Amino acid sequence: MFPLTEENKHVAQLLLNTGTCPRCIFRFCGVDFHAPYKLPYKVCQKVEASGFEFTSLVFSVSFPPQLSVREHAAWLLVKQEMGKQSLSLGRDDIVQLKEAYKWITHPLFSEELGVPIDGKSLFEVSVVFAHPETVEDCHFLAAICPDCFKPAKNKQSVFTRMAVMKALNKIKEEDFLKQFPCPPNSPKAVCAVLEIECAHGAVFVAGRYNKYSRNLPQTPWIIDGERKLESSVEELISDHLLAVFKAESFNFSSSGREDVDVRTLGNGRPFAIELVNPHRVHFTSQEIKELQQKINNSSNKIQVRDLQLVTREAIGHMKEGEEEKTKTYSALIWTNKAIQKKDIEFLNDIKDLKIDQKTPLRVLHRRPLAVRARVIHFMETQYVDEHHFRLHLKTQAGTYIKEFVHGDFGRTKPNIGSLMNVTADILELDVESVDVDWPPALDD
Amino acid sequence: ILHSLVQTGICVITLAESHPVLQSGKTIKSISYQISTNCSRLQNKVSGKFKRGAQFLTELAPLCKIYCSDGEEYTVSSCVRGRLMEVNENILHKPSILQEKPSTEGYIAVVLPKFEESKSITEGLLTQK
């Protein structure tokens, strides 16, 4: 027989008479045994089978909405009893069912899985319960508070937990007691587990990439389901990360981007990759270095440096880099008219040249039509021959370099052609630097 | 009369070399985008990525009128079905650009055909003069 002290026996009797379940009674009386608590072990099995790596977890549980109705009835009963003893009790003075449930189950999870429960953990185990037997328990609320239960597109049932809670807050005590037994009657079965899900919050990896190919897009180039160019910068980097972190998917972002036919030299362009639902998350800096080496060995079209784990604020740095930081370029320019060294020297003296660029025709199909004011901070020329010279330039973020050279039908003004009074075109473009000092450089 | 650009389907409308206005001896007095009492191509305003508000053009829709010093008047039509993105205001201020650089800075207008039609338009252009 289960141990119950003499003083607890009449408490147990009182609670039994109200239909309280025996397990709760024993718990209330401080009797400690695990046998009935099979659920946590079922959950732990699923967690262990899922293959996630974690050092803590947050447990979120979803009770059937109608349970709130029973809880409300129990609360009213407690309030009544306290009232009889001339004691008043606020709703917040009593322990919420979910809290009590977590008090019981958290230590069980911790012990079985060997990790602490931490509300801030990125690894989430969520369990959803259902209780088909009592599904209709909350339906009476719809008659009394109809505007709490508005049908929405995504919801299967109008009786969501939020809606039920809202109605319970509104309903008058007398009206509630007319419709629902207080204390609630005992159900025949316990709650059934509807689903157990494990998921890990995203982790972020940042670095800088160099691009040495003039035939590589940054993102996959697919038109009408057909891939137009093999591979892409993001795939060459992310595919390795996806595999090692055992993630579901990734989101690649960078501080701006370059065209297919443009190289990225110098320190490279900062990028950040969000790895969604990673199963493996702990890596030493040595392991990250090895991962970087692996990426670099796998392709000569791109190279990666400063690869490191970062936080979510990484994405903010990307944006800032794209919109605010200057870039330097090197362009090989052709002119229709024959030129001499002296014809390009004046460009070296132009500082902070203001230009207006209408949305380039080559991107007009996917960008709004607008005029962008931009600044060319400085230029440096290198004579090549009568029809060619190299131009090094430092520009404001968001400047279209190709259009600054050829003028885009006169829609970028001024442009190299108009400044030199020639027809100019760009043969080659390289990004020499992206002037962002993030992510932090790592010593190799 | 036209010029097609890039696989994106964007069309830049320019005068063909053979156009009377581009023959030697012709001087342009002025260019006007007011093609009827109610319609000026200058009023064309597009907004957003989907270019809402663009004037719709059929092949015969007039884009502008060119007035020459010898009294002759020419109407340039779109030749392309689609939505008007912009007309070239530079040639309003300096009509000589139209004659000096008809295929580049002297363009008339930019038209965005309907996506589905852009491929057939490009093919049609290659057979036209």
Side-chain angles (χ1 to χ4, degrees), chain A residues 345-412:
Chain A
E345 259 158 33
F346 77 100
L347 292 171
N348 299 341
D349 301 326
I350 303 177
K351 302 291 176 227
D352 296 327
L353 173 70
K354 292 204 185 103
I355 67 172
D356 288 313
Q357 301 196 284
K358 275 197 193 157
T359 307
L361 292 174
R362 65 185 168 94
V363 300
L364 189 53
H365 62 289
R366 57 185 165 86
R367 291 255 185 287
L369 181 61
V371 181
R372 293 163 184 77
R374 290 289 184 267
V375 177
I376 311 288
H377 294 295
F378 71 73
M379 293 183 277
E380 203 184 286
T381 56
Q382 261 173 352
Y383 185 81
V384 173
D385 62 41
E386 276 185 350
H387 289 279
H388 301 93
F389 70 98
R390 275 210 173 274
L391 180 71
H392 296 268
L393 60 162
K394 177 165 161 174
T395 75
Q396 183 182 352
T399 307
Y400 287 93
I401 308 300
K402 292 178 180 175
E403 276 69 17
F404 172 60
V405 173
H406 62 61
D408 191 32
F409 288 74
R411 297 164 75 258
T412 287

Side-chain angles (χ1 to χ4, degrees), chain A residues 6 24 27 33 95 133 185 209 214 247 264 288 322 361:
Chain A
E6 263 310 311
C24 294
R27 208 57 185 164
F33 62 89
V95 175
E133 189 189 317
N185 39 31
Y209 71 81
R214 291 202 187 278
T264 305
I288 298 287
E322 179 166 347
L361 292 174

Side-chain angles (χ1 to χ4, degrees), chain A residues 364-365 367 409 411 413, chain B residues 8 51 85-86 90 103 107:
Chain A
L364 189 53
H365 62 289
R367 291 255 185 287
F409 288 74
R411 297 164 75 258
K413 288 191 287 204
Chain B
T8 62
K51 326 298 188 291
M85 294 291 101
E86 65 182 50
N90 295 329
S103 316
Y107 72 95

Side-chain angles (χ1 to χ4, degrees), chain A residues 147-357:
Chain A
D147 44 295
C148 292
F149 299 98
K150 288 201 185 103
K153 270 182 263 181
N154 296 331
K155 291 188 282 188
Q156 275 180 335
S157 159
V158 174
F159 297 100
T160 62
R161 216 183 76 86
M162 292 297 293
V164 169
M165 295 295 293
K166 201 168 160 194
L168 288 172
N169 277 332
K170 275 175 116 183
I171 191 173
K172 286 194 214 119
E173 208 171 305
E174 316 91 66
D175 293 335
F176 180 88
L177 292 170
K178 277 185 214 156
Q179 303 265 8
F180 195 81
C182 173
N185 39 31
S186 273
K188 296 193 194 72
V190 296
C191 285
V193 175
L194 205 58
E195 65 177 51
I196 304 171
E197 293 296 329
C198 305
H200 202 294
V203 294
F204 296 83
V205 176
R208 302 180 81 111
Y209 71 81
N210 284 100
K211 179 175 178 270
Y212 298 117
S213 163
R214 291 202 187 278
N215 207 23
L216 186 69
Q218 211 209 43
T219 54
W221 194 343
I222 301 170
I223 298 183
D224 294 331
E226 216 186 293
R227 194 182 267 266
K228 294 294 173 186
L229 271 183
E230 205 185 297
S231 197
S232 62
V233 172
E234 76 168 33
E235 284 167 301
L236 287 175
I237 301 175
S238 305
D239 284 349
H240 292 273
L241 296 178
L242 208 60
V244 169
F245 280 76
K246 297 203 196 116
E248 225 169 74
S249 63
F250 67 85
N251 288 316
F252 183 93
S253 55
S254 58
S255 275
R257 39 181 190 172
E258 58 285 306
D259 288 339
V260 171
D261 56 350
V262 174
R263 295 187 307 177
T264 305
L265 309 176
N267 269 349
R269 187 183 295 277
F271 66 86
I273 300 174
E274 176 186 359
L275 292 155
V276 179
N277 203 16
H279 284 58
R280 219 198 122 183
V281 296
H282 286 100
F283 294 88
T284 61
S285 48
Q286 182 58 33
E287 285 171 316
I288 298 287
K289 278 204 182 100
E290 284 167 8
L291 184 52
Q292 176 175 299
Q293 195 57 51
K294 189 165 173 206
I295 296 172
N296 289 339
N297 291 342
S298 71
S299 170
N300 51 11
K301 293 184 184 177
I302 55 120
Q303 291 285 283
V304 164
R305 74 180 71 203
D306 302 333
L307 198 67
Q308 55 197 269
L309 284 164
V310 293
T311 62
R312 189 173 279 275
E313 57 180 39
I315 309 297
H317 284 288
M318 291 296 111
K319 261 286 155 182
E320 196 191 305
E322 179 166 347
E323 293 167 3
E324 295 169 27
K325 305 295 185 178
T326 58
K327 325 265 177 339
T328 65
Y329 301 89
S330 166
L332 179 61
I333 300 179
W334 167 89
T335 59
N336 67 334
K337 274 195 226 160
I339 54 168
Q340 301 306 316
K341 275 196 192 153
K342 57 179 171 60
D343 296 321
I344 55 174
E345 259 158 33
F346 77 100
L347 292 171
N348 299 341
D349 301 326
I350 303 177
K351 302 291 176 227
D352 296 327
L353 173 70
K354 292 204 185 103
I355 67 172
D356 288 313
Q357 301 196 284

